Structures are given as C-alpha cells and as structure tokens.
Amino acid sequence: MMVADSQTVARLLREYAQRTALRGGNPYRAKAYSRAADSLSALAVPLHVLVEEDRLTEIPGVGEAIADIIKKLHRTGAHPSLDKLRKEIPAGVLEMLTVPGLRPEKVLRLYKDLGITSLAELEAAAKGDRIKRAKGLGASLQAKILQNLAIAKSGDGRLHLHRAAALLEHAKASLQETRPNLRHVTIAGDFRRGCELVGDLALVAVAPDAEDGPTALESDRLTVHVTDRKHFGAILLHATGSRDHLDQLRALAEDKGMKLEANGLRMGRRLVAAKEEEIYGALGLPFVEPELREGRGEIERALKGNLPKLIADRDLRGILHCHTDASDGTETLETMATATRKRGFQYFGVADHSQSAHYAGGLSLEEIEVQHREADRLNKSFGKEFRILKGIESDILADGSLDYPDEILSRFDFVVASVHGRFKLDRKAQTARLLRAISNPHTTILGHMTGRQLMRRPGYDIDIEKVLRACARYGVAVEINAHPWRLDLDWRWHQAALDFGCMLSINPDAHSIRELDHMHWGVEMARKGGVPADRVLNAMSLPQLMRHIKRRR
C-alpha cells in the first residue's frame, strides 16, 4: 500500500482545489481545499503522526470532511473524485488559475475557445492580441492578464501575513507537542521581520542533544533550525535575515577584525558573542529590531544612534475606519464598539461607506441621521471611559471632490477619504484627483492611498511623493490600512512620509469583530517602516485626537 507524505498530499489537494474550482459550483469549497494544502506544506511533524493520532483537524483550515480526503490521499496517493476530474481538463490549464483576477469560468473559456493550456501559451495569446479579439473575453481581460501575469510570477509561493501566522503557530505548537525535548521554539524568517508577504517560513529551537552543531529539519515550506542553547541567538539572527542586513553586519565585523558566522561572532578562534543582543553590542550597535533588518540604511542609523523607537500594539489608544451592518459590515454599531472597548481601546471610529458606494450599501442622509442618534445613545451608556466617533469613509469622486456636500461632511467627527473606482485614470489625473481630496478641509485621513491588493492587483498610478507632501501640507493623516490584503501605504514609503512631516493612522478597515485584530498587522507595517508612536494619529488620547482634528478644520 502506498503512503504519501505531507508534500505529496499537499500537491494533490491543491490540484483537487484547482480542478474543483474549474468544475464550478460552491467557490468556497475549492478555497478551503487550497488553504488546507498550504497548511500541509508547512507541517513541522510527519503527516503520518497526525493521521495515527487523529489530529488532522488541528491543522489550520482542516475540518472533518477535508480530513477524510487527506486520509485517503495519504493512504493511497489518489482519490476517486480527483481521478474523475483529471479526465476533464489538461494539467497545464490549472496554471492559469494563479493569475490574479482570472476567474475559473474565464480560464475555461480560454481553454475551450482558444485552446490555451499553459501560462506560456496564455502570455503569448495576450501579447498576440488573440484574447482581445475573442468573443466574450475582450480587450479588458487581455489587459488584466498582461498586467497580472507579473503578479502571479512575483508572488509565487508567498503567503499573506495572517495566513503565515496561522501556519507558523500551528507548526510551533505541533513541534512542541511531538518533540517535548525542544525548548525556546521561536518564529524567525520573513515573518519575524514583518514582511507583508512571507515566503521563508522558519522556526529556531534549542535541543539538549545539539552539541554537535546546528541541524535543519526541512519540509516543502518550513525550515526548523535546531541548535544548542549557547548558539541559539546567533542561529536566530541568521534565520531571521535579511541577506542584505547580514552581509552588512559581516562587513562591519571584518572592519573590526572579527568574523560573523552562523554560530556566532568570532575573533580568531575565540567566540566573542553568540546572543543577538551581544552580537550587535560587540559590533558597536544597539539592538536592531527585526522589522528594520532589510539593509536599507539601518546599520548606518544604528552607528549614529538614530534608530527610531518603534510603535508597539500597546501604544494605540483607539481604532478608526471600521464598518458596520449599516453599510457592508457584518455587525451592529453597538457590537463593534463593545468589542473594541473590550480590547482596551478608548474610542471606536465608525466609518461606513458614503452614498455613492452603492456596491457597499453606502449611507443615505437619513441613514446617517439614524447612525448618529444611535452613537449618541451608546455614548451616554459608555460614559467618559469610552466614546464612539462619528466618521464616514467618503468616496473620492472622479474629479477629486468628496461624496456629500460640505454641510453634511461637517457633521462627522472625522472623514476617511478613499478611492474605490476609476482606478485606470492616468498618473496625472489620478494624482490631481487625490490632491483635490486632500485639500478639502473635512478630510482627516487619506484611506488606502494606492489601492493595491497584495497578490491581487497593483496600486493605481500616482505620484506618491507629491501626494505625501500634500498630506503633510494640509495636515491629512496617511492611512496604514491594516487589512492583510492591503497593508497600504507600503512600508517602503513610511520614512518619506515621516521626513515630509506626515502623521500616519493605523486602521483595520474592519468589517467584522474578528477583523478588529487586523490592527496588529498595521502595527507590524508601521514598525517595518520605522514609525514611532508620536507620529501615529490613533496613538493619541481622545482629547488629543479631537484637538488635532479641530485644528485641521
């Protein structure tokens, strides 16, 4: 009897997901299979152990139904349903599902009408204008394919932060349960550095029997570095990266007559330091937080004593930019506010969609009045310890004006101005559109500035520097949208925003209670961008925040 390992089962389950998507029907079933396949590819213990101990449902994304499929694939390396699906579509067609925005039904049309059976053929057809001329496909789809082929290639094998977190936490827990001799199991790699997309899933652990030197346990996606206690810090440093940061540390060590190796900092044969903090200290540096370790000038800043004190989760006083069931959220205003209060925040800023956002249940003038009366009622019950702020996410219209007239906008405590349509305006027009919105005295925060969605679509074309300078000039805060699909503004622009004099606002864009906790990913991005707490709008106390907004108007 054939027994398939976790990587084989993950590959087969992913194929099952793709073929299920092409078959049609419930799209969530295919997505569930795909998430489970991701989880299987990052197991820290052999799959047969989890099967034998009946622990498959502990794996993120694996319920009873998927567990049964995994068991059959594990036992036989096959599944009757998968065998049946394979007869319908050639394997190469599945590649096209990796292109963002290319839905299964369009993939089927490309295959059946144009005979396209691979990514290479898809690219050739798009460049040769074959898709543009095909009935039911057209120029718009062809342009999207050409644009998103690059995204498919660049995002290959990487995970959004929240997905990587789930896989790493499960790997850590299962490793500790299966190998109780391991100590100090710690997450490293891209995730520890707070990268917005994670490809390098890594853990570092101490084992009492690792005196002979570090070893690495590797699966398809996960690497577990096992070392002794003495060298744990050095191994953690190297497993965290980045390569550029480590190269610069090695160069600094050589300048000081030392050598930085995987097991520590040495001078000749003498081990100078093997703990992270001590390695930095021996090189004349303060401790460099993992999020800053990208080789983008942090070593020079550290040598000059100019590293920022990074914001932390505990620094945030309130939450702004959240949605309720008044527009496209899932919970009532009271439920969202209560959940925010329970998380220890001082204020909750509701910002449902404005009237032009018909697709998202934008608020009419009558609905605004209803919501404001409800906020007033709840604020009386909350007393002085907590407050709901009356906000709106106002669409930035094509000409740069804000949704609603000024007399309506003036009734809100704050306004998040965001683009939700007309993404394809040229750079000059799109920039001018944002600049006009920023200059509106009612704009408090510029929401998800570039409109990007990670591994789904690029941001629209704007002059980011010009927009940031305008935000600084008019006192408009720049949003760090904490939704893990957005994480916009990109952390690589945070330092420029700070240098220009911008305030930033870390907002979850939450549409449910669970999404309130996206705030953490926004904090991670702010830390990666070098942002201190005193430059974050919602790190202000409520009185400070209201004074700040009043000055803007």
Side-chain angles (χ1 to χ4, degrees), residues 228-391:
D228 60 19
R229 188 176 184 87
K230 180 179 180 181
H231 299 99
F232 172 79
I235 296 297
L236 179 61
L237 173 67
H238 282 79
T240 298
S242 69
R243 181 180 301 174
D244 289 343
H245 180 77
L246 293 173
D247 285 345
Q248 291 176 20
L249 286 181
R250 291 188 191 101
L252 181 60
E254 289 181 11
D255 288 343
K256 295 178 176 291
M258 292 180 280
K259 190 171 184 178
L260 180 60
E261 299 176 338
N263 61 356
L265 183 66
R266 295 182 176 276
M267 181 174 286
R269 294 185 177 181
R270 182 171 66 89
L271 182 65
V272 176
K275 294 181 179 178
E276 268 192 318
E277 296 86 348
E278 292 176 357
I279 290 172
Y280 283 108
L283 293 173
L285 300 169
F287 181 74
V288 178
E289 296 289 350
E291 292 93 341
L292 298 178
R293 301 177 194 176
E294 294 294 340
R296 292 169 55 90
E298 68 275 8
I299 300 297
E300 292 83 355
R301 294 184 70 181
L303 286 168
K304 295 176 181 177
N306 289 333
L307 286 179
K309 182 181 179 182
L310 302 181
I311 190 167
D313 291 301
R314 62 180 176 275
D315 294 320
L316 297 180
R317 306 288 190 88
I319 291 181
L320 303 172
H321 189 176
C322 293
H323 299 268
T324 72
D325 61 356
S327 64
D328 61 344
T330 62
E331 306 290 343
T332 65
L333 177 62
E334 181 173 5
T335 302
M336 290 290 282
T338 300
T340 300
R341 186 186 185 194
K342 286 181 178 177
R343 283 162 169 76
F345 292 104
Q346 296 176 8
Y347 49 89
F348 170 80
V350 61
D352 278 313
H353 287 283
S354 60
Q355 60 187 352
S356 292
H358 305 294
Y359 55 88
L363 272 59
S364 66
L365 299 185
E366 292 77 12
E367 288 169 328
I368 290 171
E369 291 294 335
V370 170
Q371 187 174 82
H372 284 192
R373 286 198 297 270
E374 176 67 359
D376 288 339
R377 181 187 71 81
L378 291 169
N379 280 336
K380 287 181 181 178
S381 67
F382 287 136
K384 296 181 179 180
E385 295 180 1
F386 184 83
R387 180 172 168 184
I388 294 172
L389 299 180
K390 305 168 187 173

Side-chain angles (χ1 to χ4, degrees), residues 191-205:
F191 186 84
R192 188 173 181 234
R193 297 204 317 278
C195 296
E196 67 271 38
L197 293 172
V198 178
D200 172 26
L201 297 177
L203 298 172
V204 179

Side-chain angles (χ1 to χ4, degrees), residues 20 48 51 73 79 125 132 136 188 205 209 231 257 296 312 332 353 399 429 435 458 503 505 507 541:
T20 301
H48 72 83
V51 172
L73 290 171
H79 193 282
K132 179 180 179 180
D209 56 352
H231 299 99
R296 292 169 55 90
T332 65
H353 287 283
D399 65 355
L435 295 180
M503 290 292 292
S505 183
N507 303 334
S541 66

